[in-house]
Amino acid sequence: MTLFLCKTADVDADEPKQVTLADGRILAVYRLDDGFYATDDVCTHGEASLAEGEIEGHEIICPFHLGAFDIRTGEPTRAPCTASLKVYPVVCENGEVMLAE
Ligand code: FES
């Protein structure tokens, strides 16, 4: 099953896009050199929105305490983040980013 997240054109390479699903989940969608990715929007260290963070290469830097995660795997890459971020599988079809669940 796929679920529409956003248009590919709506996601900038240097800025994650926050997407709220009908079921209340809030995701951050990213455009990296090798494609689109989606993760939970909320940092695992605190209540920060990662959509407000900075993308550096394949990392998202949390705006609160500057911890970071690998956007592709959800693995924490910089302290104080220690818990993995949930990563969602996405596919792109017809200019749309879809969640593939
Ligand atoms: S809330 Fe994200 S690093 Fe602290």
Side-chain angles (χ1 to χ4, degrees):
M1 189 180 108
T2 58
L3 197 60
F4 174 76
L5 291 177
C6 60
K7 299 271 193 196
T8 55
D10 290 343
V11 189
D12 293 329
D14 56 355
E15 198 176 327
K17 177 173 179 55
Q18 187 186 70
V19 175
T20 302
L21 302 181
D23 62 11
R25 284 180 291 173
I26 303 175
L27 274 54
V29 180
Y30 311 82
R31 178 197 290 266
L32 300 186
D33 286 347
D34 59 353
F36 288 83
Y37 292 87
T39 71
D40 273 336
D41 182 50
V42 176
C43 182
T44 62
H45 179 253
E47 289 298 310
S49 165
L50 295 173
E52 310 275 315
E54 298 282 328
I55 297 173
E56 280 186 22
H58 51 79
E59 287 178 288
I60 178 67
I61 315 298
C62 178
F64 273 17
H65 310 109
L66 306 181
F69 302 91
D70 187 320
I71 293 164
R72 303 165 303 180
T73 64
E75 290 295 312
T77 52
R78 300 187 199 182
C81 299
T82 55
S84 292
L85 187 64
K86 183 169 172 53
V87 174
Y88 296 84
V90 299
V91 293
C92 294
E93 292 170 0
N94 303 320
E96 297 182 338
V97 185
M98 314 284 289
L99 181 63
E101 298 192 300

